[in-house]
Each structure stands twice: as C-alpha cells, then as structure tokens.
C-alpha cells in the first residue's frame, strides 16, 4: 500500500509537474504573445512615425519643387517681357518710318500719333510727280543687284569648289587676300575706281556698277560656299569620276545639287549686301544707273525736306529683299544650318 501510494503520489506529482509544465508553457506562450503584441504595437507605432516622417519629407520635396517651378515661371515671364521689349525697341524705327510715310505734309511736324493717314506719299514717290524718277532708280537697283549676284555665282561657285578640293602652297594666302577685299573700307578704293571709271567710260553705267559690286558679293560667296563644299565627302565625286564623268560634270551633276540650300542662302545674303550698298552708287553714278539707296535721299533736297516722301521711298525699297527672303525661306533655313551637325 505504501508503494501504491507512493506511486500514486508520484503520478500526482508527475501530473502536477505536467500541469505546471503546461501552465509554464502556457504562461510562456501568453508572455510571448503579449511580447509579440506589444512589439507589434511598437513596430506599428514606429512604422507610423517613420511613415509620418516620410510623408513630411515628401511634402517638403513637393514644396521645394513647387517653389522651383514658381521661380522658373517668374524668370520665364521676365525673359518673355525682356524679349518683347527688345522686339518693340528693334521695330520702333520701322514703325516710325511707317507713321511718317502715312502723314500728310501739313501734319508732318505738328503731331506725333494723331493724324489723318493718307497714301499720298506713296503715290508721289511711285508717280514721279516731284521730278525724281524713283521708279527708274528702283529698276536700276534690281538690275545691278541681280547682275552682280549672278556674275558672282558664276565665278564664285567654281572658285569655292576648287579652293575646297585642291589645296596648294599659298592657297590660304590667296583666299585671305580675296577676303580682305570685303574687309577693306569702300572709301579706300573709291577714288582710284572713280578715276578708272572716268577713263574707261564705265561711269554711271550698269556694267560699271555690276563690276564694282563684285568687291561686295564675290568674297562673301566664295568663302561661304567653300565651307559647304568642304563638308561634302570627296568619295561622291570620286565615284562619279569612276563612272566616266569628267571633273566638270562631277561638279555640276553631283556636288552642286547637294549644296542648293547653301546657294540659296548665300545668294540672298549677297543680294541684300548689293542692294543696300551706298558708297559705290553715290560716287560712281549720277542719274542713269543710280540706285534706290541714293535716290531716296533726293527727297531731302530743296528748301523744305520731305521726310514723308523719304520714308515712303525707304519702305518701298525694303520690299524686294523681304519678298525674296520669304520666297526662299525654306532653303534659307536649310542652308544656314547645313553642316552644323557632322557625323
């Protein structure tokens, strides 16, 4: 019986131990769950704190970006205002010339912007009612400018191609000498030219004006077109030579068509320089071959200068270069950007 009790006590003890063990494990489990829950809450709190910090950081970044965009808009508005101001400043002389040309003679000096517009100045200028043949001067400018550009292209394009493809000793000096004719002031050569034109019978003639304007247009065409031809690959012309073309045929059928935009651009620039030239027509012409740049000043003579007629003549003389620029605008943009990006 004692053994049985002992065994029972042991069983109870064992059971009690198991019960304690279960309770212990359960306690440990409850404590672990509590710790996990508490840790989860702490972790969740930390995540909320970190998320709040991130949110505040993102808000600050957005504020900085918004502030940067606001400053960028302000600078953009200031830049636009500056460009508009410069645009108005640059066009103001033309606008003032237009106002003068529309004013009648009796309101020319009495008012600035309050006047009765009239086209009488243009009718006077184009109708030869003042004894000044402005229309003939206009035609003279067209003839000598187109003739000078055509002759310069005829001579300058082959010269530019040859200087770009064939280099020899002293070629750069020769090209710089040609360019120096454009650099030199026109007044330095006007007296010798005047004497030569008087002796040769070229004074106040179309031929004389076309010939002397080569000093203005030819160096410009040669130097600009030289860079265009230099940008072309020589292999294109070599392939044409292998196909049986001569050097002249390779120039006209291969090289020249590829630089048409450049030819259009340089032709416009040369025409503008020839049209706007003032010194050569002033000294080397009198009436027969006089151009608009000198003829427009004829309205300033007499007892009372006719500023409205001068303004109308000046605005009429602007029309041909402007129309030519608008006509070949597509080729002009391509020609000025030709060779800007090289592969």
């Amino acid at each position: 019986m004692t053994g049985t009790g002992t065994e029972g006590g042991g069983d109870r003890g064992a059971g009690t131990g198991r019960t304690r063990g279960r309770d212990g494990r359960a306690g440990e489990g409850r404590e672990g769950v509590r710790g996990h829950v508490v840790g989860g809450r702490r972790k969740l709190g930390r995540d909320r704190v970190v998320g709040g910090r991130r949110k505040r950081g993102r808000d600050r970044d957005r504020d900085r970006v918004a502030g940067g965009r606001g400053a960028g808009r302000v600078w953009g508005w200031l830049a636009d205002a500056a460009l508009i101001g410069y645009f108005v400043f640059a066009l103001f002389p033309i606008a003032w010339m237009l106002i003068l040309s529309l004013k009648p003679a009796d309101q020319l000096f009495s008012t600035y912007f309050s006047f009765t517009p009239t086209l009488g100045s243009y009718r006077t200028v184009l109708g030869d009612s003042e004894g000044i043949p402005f229309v003939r001067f206009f035609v003279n400018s067209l003839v000598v400018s187109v003739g000078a550009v055509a002759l310069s292209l005829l001579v300058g394009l082959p010269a530019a191609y040859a200087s770009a493809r064939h280099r020899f000793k002293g070629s750069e000096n020769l090209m710089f000498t040609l360019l120096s004719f454009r650099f030199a002031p026109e007044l330095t050569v006007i007296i010798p030219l005047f004497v030569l034109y008087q002796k040769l019978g070229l004074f106040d003639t179309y031929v004389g004006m076309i010939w002397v304007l080569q000093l203005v247009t030819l160096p410009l065409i040669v130097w600009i077109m030289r860079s265009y031809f230099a940008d072309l690959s020589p292999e294109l012309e070599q392939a044409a030579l292998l196909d049986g073309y001569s050097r002249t045929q390779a120039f006209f059928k291969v090289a020249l068509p590829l630089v048409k935009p450049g030819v259009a651009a340089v032709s416009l620039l040369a025409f503008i320089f020839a049209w706007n030239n003032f010194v050569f027509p002033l000294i080397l012409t009198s009436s027969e071959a006089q151009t608009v740049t000198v003829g427009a000043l004829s309205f300033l003579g007499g007892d009372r200068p006719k500023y409205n007629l001068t303004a109308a003549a000046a605005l009429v003389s602007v029309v041909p270069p402007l129309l030519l620029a608008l006509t070949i605008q597509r080729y002009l943009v391509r020609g000025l950007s030709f060779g800007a990006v090289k592969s």
Side-chain angles (χ1 to χ4, degrees), residues 179-191:
L179 185 63
S180 65
F181 295 149
R182 186 69 186 88
F183 289 158
E186 297 168 351
L187 293 175
T188 58
V189 297
I190 195 63
I191 300 301

Side-chain angles (χ1 to χ4, degrees), residues 282-322:
L282 178 64
I283 304 300
L284 301 179
T285 62
S286 59
S287 60
E288 295 298 326
Q290 196 171 95
T291 60
V292 292
T293 53
V294 180
L297 298 179
S298 303
F299 296 103
L300 294 178
D303 298 334
R304 185 176 182 181
K306 303 176 178 64
Y307 295 108
N308 54 341
L309 300 182
T310 305
L315 290 178
V316 170
S317 65
V318 174
V319 173
L322 182 61

Side-chain angles (χ1 to χ4, degrees), residues 65-302:
V65 172
R69 290 177 180 175
R73 292 194 190 98
V74 172
W75 282 110
W77 293 336
L78 291 177
D80 293 340
L83 289 176
I84 293 174
Y86 178 76
F87 181 76
V88 173
F89 173 77
L91 291 183
F92 181 76
I94 300 177
W96 188 255
M97 293 283 285
L98 180 62
I99 292 173
L100 284 178
S101 67
L102 296 176
K103 281 186 175 183
D106 56 347
Q107 299 180 5
L108 192 59
F109 301 100
S110 60
T111 60
Y112 289 102
F113 300 103
S114 178
F115 60 92
T116 304
T118 178
L119 297 177
S121 299
Y122 293 94
R123 287 192 292 267
T124 302
V125 168
L126 299 177
D128 195 14
S129 61
E130 290 287 328
I132 300 174
F134 182 78
V135 175
R136 191 179 69 188
F137 298 156
F138 189 88
V139 174
N140 292 344
S141 291
L142 285 177
V143 172
V144 298
S145 298
V146 172
V149 173
L151 182 59
S152 297
L153 289 174
L154 183 63
V155 178
L157 289 177
Y161 176 75
S163 64
R165 288 291 182 261
H166 303 287
R167 302 294 178 89
F168 55 90
K169 185 177 181 180
S171 61
E172 295 297 328
N173 295 331
L174 180 61
M175 293 300 299
F176 184 78
T177 302
L178 178 63
L179 185 63
S180 65
F181 295 149
R182 186 69 186 88
F183 289 158
E186 297 168 351
L187 293 175
T188 58
V189 297
I190 195 63
I191 300 301
L193 284 175
F194 178 78
V195 175
L196 288 175
Y197 271 45
Q198 290 284 357
K199 298 293 184 180
L200 298 176
L202 296 176
F203 180 80
D204 200 18
T205 61
Y206 288 153
V207 176
M209 282 304 303
I210 292 174
W211 187 262
V212 75
L213 286 177
Q214 301 304 303
L215 296 175
V216 178
T217 57
L218 185 59
L220 180 70
I221 289 177
V222 171
W223 268 91
I224 294 180
M225 292 308 302
R226 183 193 185 194
S227 62
Y228 283 100
F229 287 119
D231 288 337
L232 293 179
S233 176
E235 297 177 355
L236 298 174
E237 299 144 45
Q238 293 174 2
L241 295 176
L242 291 176
D243 289 339
Y245 283 21
S246 64
R247 176 63 69 175
T248 303
Q249 291 175 334
F251 168 70
F252 283 104
K253 295 183 178 181
V254 177
L256 193 58
L258 294 176
V259 295
K260 281 184 178 180
V263 174
V266 76
S267 299
L268 175 62
L269 294 177
F271 179 83
I272 292 175
F273 278 109
W275 182 274
N276 293 335
N277 190 267
F278 178 76
V279 175
F280 289 148
L282 178 64
I283 304 300
L284 301 179
T285 62
S286 59
S287 60
E288 295 298 326
Q290 196 171 95
T291 60
V292 292
T293 53
V294 180
L297 298 179
S298 303
F299 296 103
L300 294 178

Side-chain angles (χ1 to χ4, degrees), residues 15-36:
T16 304
R18 286 194 298 268
T19 303
R20 292 177 179 174
R22 291 174 184 173
D23 295 337
R25 287 194 298 271
E28 292 176 359
R30 286 193 294 269
E31 291 177 359
V33 173
R34 291 175 182 174
H36 178 71

